[in-house]
Amino acid sequence: QVQLVESGGGLVQPGGSLRLSCAAFGRTFSIYAMAWFRQAPGKDREFVGGIVRTESARYYAGAVKGRFTISRDNTNNTVYLQMDSLKPEDTAVYFCAATYISGNLYRPGQYDYWGQGTQVTVSS
């Protein structure tokens, strides 16, 4: 079992930046990959970015590539999402997720563990 706790959401103006954190607790040594998803009102949950625990590769959705950066601190079992050049369409609840197995990291169904979500609002 893994527990995920997100933090760092808030209100920011267009063009601004935010950094989200996701701390993992419990059976963290078995985590294969972690990811960020987001869900806006009335829309499906969508992949934002993902990172494999023991690899250097990062994976991003096209809508955020070049603006968002995912990183990890394995010592502290924490994954970060640095969000720059934020746009109003980035407004959503952002969720952290973790999986023990390899697979399609872009699918929400790949992940067994989810955080409670943190609200990000981009507005002037």
Side-chain angles (χ1 to χ4, degrees):
Q1 286 274 12
V2 170
Q3 295 79 43
L4 303 174
V5 179
E6 303 108 331
S7 61
L11 173 64
V12 64
Q13 291 187 342
S17 297
L18 279 176
R19 189 195 198 203
L20 305 183
S21 299
C22 174
F25 302 92
R27 195 176 163 214
T28 59
F29 59 89
S30 295
I31 293 174
Y32 171 76
M34 294 180 68
W36 289 94
F37 285 77
R38 66 187 182 186
Q39 189 165 18
K43 294 190 175 182
D44 293 335
R45 191 167 296 190
E46 65 175 3
F47 176 83
V48 175
I51 186 167
V52 176
R53 183 178 176 85
T54 58
E55 297 177 6
S56 61
R58 273 76 165 155
Y59 305 89
Y60 297 99
V64 307
K65 201 167 187 178
R67 300 188 297 121
F68 291 11
T69 303
I70 190 168
S71 61
R72 65 172 184 257
D73 179 348
N74 286 345
T75 300
N76 294 314
N77 297 308
T78 301
V79 170
Y80 304 95
L81 184 68
Q82 176 67 39
M83 304 186 294
D84 298 318
S85 302
L86 282 160
K87 304 175 181 180
E89 50 264 44
D90 294 318
T91 296
V93 177
Y94 283 70
F95 297 90
C96 178
T99 179
Y100 285 152
I101 60 175
S102 63
N104 186 341
L105 299 183
Y106 295 85
R107 284 195 315 114
Q110 170 71 25
Y111 299 85
D112 295 316
Y113 302 99
W114 293 85
Q116 79 285 356
T118 185
Q119 176 70 46
V120 171
T121 303
V122 185
S123 175
S124 55

